[in-house]
Amino acid sequence: TVAELREWKDHDLEAQGRLTAPMRYDPETDRYVEIDWSEAFAGIADALGRLDTESVVFYSSGHAGLEASYLFALFARLYGNNNLPQSSNMCHETTSVGLKKVIGSPVGTVIWEDLDQTELLMFFGQNPGSNSPRFLHPMKALKDRGGKIISFNPLREQGLVSFIDPQDPTAMLTGRETIISDQYHQVKAGGDVAALMGLCKAVIEADDAARQAGAEPVIDMEFVNEHTNGFDDFVEVVRATDWDEIAANSGLARQDIEDAAREYLAHDKVIAAYGMGLTQQAHGWLNIGLLTNLMLMRGHIGRPGSGITPVRGHSNVQGQRTVGIAEKTKLIPMDKLRELFGFEPPQQDGTHIVDAVAGLFTKKIKGFICLGSNLLRAVPDQELMERAWPQQELAVMISTKLNRSHLFPAKTAYILPCLSRAEQDIQATGNQYVSIEDSFAMIHGSIGHRKPASDKLKSELAIVAEMAKATLPPNPKVTWDDWIADYGKVRDLIEATYPDDFKRFNERLNEPGGFYREIPAHYRKWETESGKAEFTKPERLDALDFGDSPGRYRLVTLRSNDQFNTTIYGYSDRFRGIEGTRDVVLMSEEDIADAGLERDQTVALITDYDDGHVRRLGGLKIVPYNLPRGTIASYYPECNVLVPLNHHDKLSKTPAGKSVPVRIVPDGPEG
Ligand SMILES: Nc1nc2c(c(=O)[nH]1)N[C@H]1C(S)=C(S)[C@@H](COP(=O)(O)OP(=O)(O)OC[C@H]3O[C@@H](n4cnc5c(=O)[nH]c(N)nc54)[C@H](O)[C@@H]3O)O[C@H]1N2
Ligand SMILES: Nc1nc2c(c(=O)[nH]1)N[C@H]1C(S)=C(S)[C@@H](COP(=O)(O)OP(=O)(O)OC[C@H]3O[C@@H](n4cnc5c(=O)[nH]c(N)nc54)[C@H](O)[C@@H]3O)O[C@H]1N2
Ligand SMILES: [Mo]
């Protein structure tokens, strides 16, 4: 029964393997029962027909390809809303909003060739060893040609410390490691604002010194004058910020920051890569702004071998945005949709995932269609979410595997199993290609060759199209069946909607390595309001929305290599040497001693956030770990019971899972 399955661990649900037939929840028996596809589509259409269009959310996690995503967004808009939140709302939304604000492009400016030429790679809050292994090859190549890597991260992540190439037999046999990070700065959680201010201050001081000595200035004033706005205001703030404040807020010594700045100044080709350590903060937008400031001072954006690169998660998370998965109407060419499909697209902005969850809590939201995802595990305030979700009228989950989100069925609940990308997708015109856009804005096609896990599986695209067909009134311009028969026709629609990005889409799909969707900032075209890149003027020195107080820690919610987000493959965090359990809290030896705790002791964490809810996670074993004082760490998604929904980036609403204020209490009922 579903009640029994709720007692299972995420890992055990995952281990059941693929979902193989469509199912509907039966409250009588508390089980999901197999049904026909036609019955599922008719039931969903019926439920959607009875709901108020504004009360339904169309959520996607970044798994689905461009074709299915385009149709999913079209379905939502034809149904009547722009409620199209995406997993990036919890991930790189800070980037989408922050980079757009400062360089006018919501995505990174780096392409693969830049990585191949760069001389210095700076990592801020990103962990390539477990999360983006395809970065390891260019990193190794950089080290082999004498380049440098600098990391800013509270944890000493093994994948940023040293590297053994599994392809190199002698390195494997001798255990000979390549040192990855030439400098490793263990900034406090939320301390990058200060660290970046320090880097900028050191650059400005070096520039002063060079000018005094009659040498060449180190700041690229030609670039700054021609391409940017707000430099003088920023410099004024930097000069007024003293080194003691920078050290106190970053947790780094002035000397260490100056060392990093010296390396930064020694190279003409510098790439800044960043991840969740910067974006999942209450003032994550400021992290992005200041990192951009640092890069702008030496003209490192839109120059070969240089740039800023947000490292993404799901394969097509960036691309889904490109083809219409967006809650903000200003991002969508509505006139094109009107013309192509002969309807009046909804004018009102849709919901961000944080607002959608808040809407569930207040019962404004009554239905969710999820294209991928394990939303109940991924979002903040998990306990409240588990109570609110089943009260909805309708939940439809298009999934590959069983997960915890399926186990809190809404009044009407369907699980629709889909093909994975590795599997053949045979339609009327044969096996179909699908495409994605990666972090470097390269668009690639792929085709599956494996035999599907079951002959009852449908493709994501077919599921979306058939749901839409069953739900919406007929429209001669909306020919779902033709589109399912030949995905090339969907690509024609994408090209017609976004002609600049997808010129000759079908023809270029099979170019080796994909084709580049040209990002304006890569060419120093700044699509900001002023037409220039903007320096950000910081009004604070940390990324937090809480202060320090005795007994309060900054909790970092972490991933291991043995999970993909909410999917837990196993209990071996081999990079961190944590085996057999995920119920741990990592803490520095000094903090353990100061708090009167002991290694292996079991404790609970309580969120230190005053809004009337008690958020608690018990059963966590203390593991001593090399961390800055005051910063502790534990695993995501387990920790999501501790993250308040309102604890998010001020500009983009990205949940601030990398600095959650918590206290440590004894475990047990009284804790
Ligand atoms: N194996 C595996 N691969 C994955 C995923 C997975 O779950 N498993 N998830 C995918 C997804 S969706 C994404 S978005 C990416 C995520 O990839 P990453 O961006 O690497 O995400 P995290 O591991 O959550 O956090 C990154 C790092 O931020 C550091 N950090 C925490 N707080 C701070 C801070 O205040 N400042 C700094 N400088 N660093 C800080 C942490 O110690 C951690 O090393 O990975 C993708 N790839
Ligand atoms: N505290 C805390 N919370 C976080 C984070 C954090 O670091 N800390 N990270 C955030 C981030 S970066 C992200 S991206 C989100 C991730 O949040 P989600 O996108 O919701 O999570 P996933 O675990 O990637 O989704 C997994 C499910 O997707 C389905 N799936 C897998 N492959 C496919 C496919 O090809 N097609 C379809 N239709 N379904 C598929 C499977 O059923 C699987 O169970 O979580 C966020 N939440
Ligand atoms: Mo992500």
Side-chain angles (χ1 to χ4, degrees):
T1 65
V2 168
E4 284 167 336
L5 288 171
R6 272 201 295 271
E7 302 303 313
W8 291 26
K9 292 236 169 209
D10 290 337
H11 173 55
D12 301 324
L13 296 171
E14 157 75 16
Q16 295 310 299
R18 291 287 294 280
L19 295 162
T20 52
M23 290 176 276
R24 183 176 51 215
Y25 178 65
D26 173 24
E28 297 279 294
T29 57
D30 189 34
R31 286 167 192 274
Y32 277 97
V33 291
E34 184 172 338
I35 55 170
D36 286 338
W37 280 105
S38 56
E39 211 185 318
F41 295 134
I44 293 164
D46 179 60
L48 285 174
R50 280 184 284 112
L51 286 168
D52 172 12
T53 52
E54 285 304 318
S55 70
V56 180
V57 173
F58 295 78
Y59 174 82
S60 21
S61 75
H63 301 281
L66 293 170
E67 297 80 1
S69 303
Y70 179 88
L71 291 190
F72 192 58
L74 179 63
F75 176 25
R77 298 200 165 96
L78 287 165
Y79 177 67
N81 70 42
N82 289 298
N83 291 344
L84 285 156
Q86 191 210 23
S87 53
S88 72
N89 284 167
M90 298 179 269
C91 178
H92 270 296
E93 192 64 29
T94 323
T95 296
S96 308
V97 174
L99 276 189
K100 173 71 192 161
K101 181 172 147 75
V102 296
I103 61 169
S105 298
V107 298
T109 67
V110 170
I111 58 175
W112 280 110
E113 289 92 281
D114 294 323
L115 262 184
D116 291 340
Q117 301 177 25
T118 198
E119 297 165 1
L120 171 67
L121 196 49
M122 299 177 88
F123 276 100
F124 290 84
Q126 208 274 326
N127 184 17
S130 26
N131 298 332
S132 46
R134 60 187 196 142
F135 254 77
L136 295 177
H137 188 73
M139 284 164 68
K140 177 79 166 38
L142 168 68
K143 294 310 302 259
D144 288 348
R145 62 177 186 267
K148 303 281 182 188
I149 295 180
I150 301 181
S151 295
F152 287 82
N153 196 313
L155 274 82
R156 274 187 82 79
E157 300 282 26
Q158 185 52 36
L160 284 167
V161 172
S162 66
F163 176 73
I164 298 183
D165 185 352
Q167 248 83 60
D168 176 350
T170 50
M172 286 297 277
L173 284 173
T174 57
R176 194 180 64 220
E177 297 173 312
T178 304
I179 296 302
I180 296 179
S181 294
D182 300 275
Q183 296 183 26
Y184 204 117
H185 301 294
Q186 287 182 265
V187 63
K188 290 183 191 179
D192 302 85
V193 173
L196 287 160
M197 282 292 276
L199 285 165
C200 293
K201 190 171 175 77
V203 169
I204 291 166
E205 289 179 354
D207 191 72
D208 291 344
R211 284 168 197 271
Q212 263 163 27
E216 191 139 333
V218 305
I219 297 177
D220 183 347
M221 283 314 294
E222 206 177 308
F223 173 85
V224 167
N225 290 332
E226 186 185 340
H227 289 282
T228 74
N229 239 344
F231 178 65
D232 294 342
D233 285 352
F234 172 60
V235 172
E236 202 180 306
V237 183
V238 175
R239 290 192 191 281
T241 307
D242 66 50
W243 279 107
D244 291 343
E245 289 175 272
I246 289 172
N249 281 282
S250 63
L252 302 175
R254 171 178 179 174
Q255 181 68 46
D256 291 336
I257 297 176
E258 285 176 339
D259 285 348
R262 207 166 302 119
E263 196 66 58
Y264 167 81
L265 289 172
H267 301 280
D268 287 331
K269 296 178 174 178
V270 179
I271 289 178
Y274 68 91
M276 300 298 103
L278 294 199
T279 64
Q280 294 178 337
Q281 300 283 359
H283 291 277
W285 67 278
L286 193 51
N287 281 331
I288 310 307
L290 288 184
L291 185 55
T292 305
N293 286 2
L294 177 68
M295 299 303 276
L296 291 176
M297 284 202 286
R298 303 244 308 153
H300 281 309
I301 296 191
R303 172 201 286 178
S306 286
I308 188 161
T309 188
V311 183
R312 306 251 173 191
H314 294 118
S315 56
N316 194 34
V317 67
Q318 179 165 320
Q320 291 188 337
R321 291 294 206 202
T322 307
V323 297
I325 303 274
E327 64 277 12
K328 291 179 195 133
T329 48
K330 66 167 194 257
L331 301 176
I332 304 302
M334 295 296 185
D335 48 329
K336 285 271 180 2
L337 296 182
R338 190 180 293 118
E339 180 190 314
L340 280 167
F341 306 111
F343 79 117
E344 195 45 53
Q347 300 299 324
Q348 217 185 320
D349 277 349
T351 54
H352 184 290
I353 193 62
V354 163
D355 299 323
V357 172
L360 269 178
F361 293 172
T362 57
K363 302 207 168 74
K364 240 178 73 193
I365 296 299
K366 300 193 175 94
F368 252 90
I369 314 246
C370 292
L371 183 56
S373 168
N374 179 7
L375 202 56
L376 272 76
R377 282 306 248 171
V379 298
D381 263 334
Q382 193 167 295
E383 236 166 61
L384 300 177
M385 182 70 166
E386 290 183 352
R387 268 183 262 155
W389 185 266
Q391 300 187 19
Q392 294 186 91
E393 297 302 321
L394 175 70
V396 179
M397 313 268 211
I398 304 168
S399 312
T400 49
K401 290 193 179 170
L402 189 64
N403 64 47
R404 195 163 164 83
S405 300
H406 300 127
L407 307 180
F408 295 82
K411 289 180 193 159
T412 306
Y414 293 91
I415 301 175
L416 306 182
C418 65
L419 293 169
S420 80
R421 207 168 295 145
E423 290 168 328
Q424 293 169 347
D425 181 358
I426 311 287
Q427 304 293 347
T429 59
N431 198 11
Q432 301 294 310
Y433 275 89
V434 294
S435 56
I436 58 141
E437 174 187 331
D438 68 19
S439 286
F440 299 105
M442 291 298 290
I443 292 161
H444 319 252
S446 71
I447 191 158
H449 295 291
R450 208 183 292 160
K451 195 173 162 305
S454 141
D455 56 12
K456 289 183 187 142
L457 298 181
K458 283 186 185 285
S459 71
E460 289 170 319
L461 189 140
I463 294 172
V464 169
E466 294 202 40
M467 264 192 310
K469 201 173 92 176
T471 305
L472 302 169
N475 172 340
K477 291 188 160 175
V478 179
T479 54
W480 301 107
D481 290 336
D482 292 349
W483 301 339
I484 303 175
D486 177 2
Y487 297 179
K489 297 224 165 93
V490 182
R491 286 187 285 276
D492 289 339
L493 294 173
I494 294 175
E495 179 174 343
T497 315
Y498 306 94
D500 295 338
D501 292 329
F502 293 96
K503 285 186 280 287
R504 299 184 290 112
F505 189 6
N506 272 306
E507 193 186 318
R508 289 198 294 163
L509 188 62
N510 291 314
E511 285 176 14
F515 67 89
Y516 181 49
R517 183 171 75 83
E518 302 188 348
I519 302 306
H522 178 78
Y523 302 99
R524 297 191 166 173
K525 240 183 88 196
W526 318 104
E527 297 190 339
T528 55
E529 265 170 43
S530 63
K532 293 196 168 185
E534 297 286 345
F535 275 91
T536 299
K537 185 176 152 188
E539 267 149 23
R540 53 184 311 118
L541 272 183
D542 62 34
L544 310 174
D545 61 357
F546 56 91
D548 284 326
S549 93
R552 178 184 286 169
Y553 298 86
R554 304 170 183 190
L555 172 71
V556 172
T557 62
L558 281 183
R559 304 171 145 73
S560 84
N561 59 285
D562 220 4
Q563 71 185 89
F564 191 88
N565 297 329
T566 64
T567 303
I568 312 301
Y569 300 120
Y571 297 94
S572 169
D573 188 346
R574 62 189 168 91
F575 288 104
R576 301 194 185 101
I578 297 168
E579 298 292 335
T581 178
R582 294 172 53 88
D583 300 327
V584 292
V585 53
L586 314 185
M587 200 171 171
S588 74
E589 302 263 17
E590 296 84 351
D591 278 348
I592 296 175
D594 263 16
L597 298 166
E598 277 172 43
R599 88 162 47 211
D600 292 342
Q601 185 180 340
T602 303
V603 294
L605 298 179
I606 290 196
T607 308
D608 199 2
Y609 199 85
D610 200 8
D611 67 349
H613 289 297
V614 178
R615 298 177 179 85
R616 180 182 182 283
L617 181 63
L620 302 175
K621 200 176 73 172
I622 294 186
V623 173
Y625 207 80
N626 183 347
L627 274 165
R629 301 291 305 266
T631 297
I632 62 173
S634 185
Y635 290 112
Y636 145 73
E638 291 83 345
C639 278
N640 263 339
V641 288
L642 296 170
V643 185
L645 186 63
N646 278 328
H647 179 59
H648 56 62
D649 176 45
K650 296 294 168 276
L651 218 58
S652 66
K653 296 189 183 169
T654 309
K658 291 298 182 272
S659 291
V660 185
V662 296
R663 292 179 178 277
I664 303 176
V665 297
D667 202 10
E670 74 287 0

